[in-house]
Each structure stands twice: as structure tokens, then as C-alpha cells.
Amino acid sequence: STSPTQAPAATPTIPAAAPTTPPAATGNTINVTMGDAAGATKEYRYVPNKFTFKVGEEITFVFTAETEEHTFTAEDLNVDVTVAAKTTKRVTIKFDKAGIFDFLCIPHADFGMDGQITVQ
């Protein structure tokens, strides 16, 4: 009855197929919903609204505005993207300086539609 115990011992190939860490290389894509009160999110916010990247990383954001026009504005990074209501826009941004950078939606900043990017 040693063969049943040998079968589980033959399965250590599973860890080799389980690298769940995201790719550290460039070319990452992140989907961001630009939510609003009349949309599915029921409030003005970015989903997600916190990001951490490495210096030199290039990220493609796919911004989807719900029912209103929104912006993704990070002045310290010279980023200002406008996304029309009910549309999607792809924007690739290279993060070339370390720091913590705030971003906001200009028309909806007073509603708390903002977030933060950390570049290490």
C-alpha cells in the first residue's frame, strides 16, 4: 500500500506552475473605473485609487468613465487625462521619479474623488 502515498509525492510540480506574483517587467495593464453617483459605484471615486510602482515602470491604464466625464490628473507627474462619459481610454505612463504623488478628478475633487501613486 505504498503506491497511494507515492502518488501525492509525485505532485510537487504544482508549485512550479503557481507563480502568482505579478510580472515585474514593463507593460502592466491596470483597469480603473472612474465612478460617479449615477453609475454602478454610486459615488465619485476611482476603483482602485491607490497604486505602487517601481521607478522606470511603464503602466498602461485603461480608464472607464461611468456616466460622467472624469479626469485623472497628477500635476506632479505631468499627467492630465480626460475621459468622456461612458467611454474608455488607454493611457501609458512611465514612472521615472520616486515619491508619493496625489491624483484627482478635477470636476469631482470636492466629492473626494482622488487617490495616490507611490513610486519606489
Side-chain angles (χ1 to χ4, degrees):
S1 68
T2 55
S3 56
T5 56
Q6 287 175 348
T11 56
T13 53
I14 294 169
T20 54
T21 55
T26 59
N28 293 331
T29 299
I30 296 175
N31 294 309
V32 179
T33 299
M34 302 167 116
D36 50 62
T41 59
K42 302 295 183 219
E43 61 183 315
Y44 292 97
R45 65 183 169 119
Y46 299 96
V47 181
N49 70 346
K50 294 204 180 302
F51 306 98
T52 302
F53 306 118
K54 292 182 176 15
V55 171
E57 207 166 4
E58 208 171 76
I59 304 296
T60 299
F61 290 92
V62 180
F63 296 110
T64 302
E66 287 190 329
T67 68
E68 299 179 37
E69 179 176 284
H70 296 285
T71 71
F72 181 83
T73 306
E75 288 184 15
D76 293 339
L77 293 171
N78 295 319
V79 173
D80 190 12
V81 177
T82 300
V83 183
K86 299 180 183 178
T87 67
T88 296
K89 184 181 274 189
R90 294 175 68 90
V91 179
T92 300
I93 301 168
K94 185 169 185 175
F95 297 94
D96 53 8
K97 62 180 176 178
I100 296 174
F101 306 97
D102 295 322
F103 62 86
L104 54 80
C105 176
I106 292 172
H108 304 115
D110 290 343
F111 295 104
M113 189 168 180
D114 57 20
Q116 201 169 64
I117 298 169
T118 302
V119 183
Q120 301 171 329

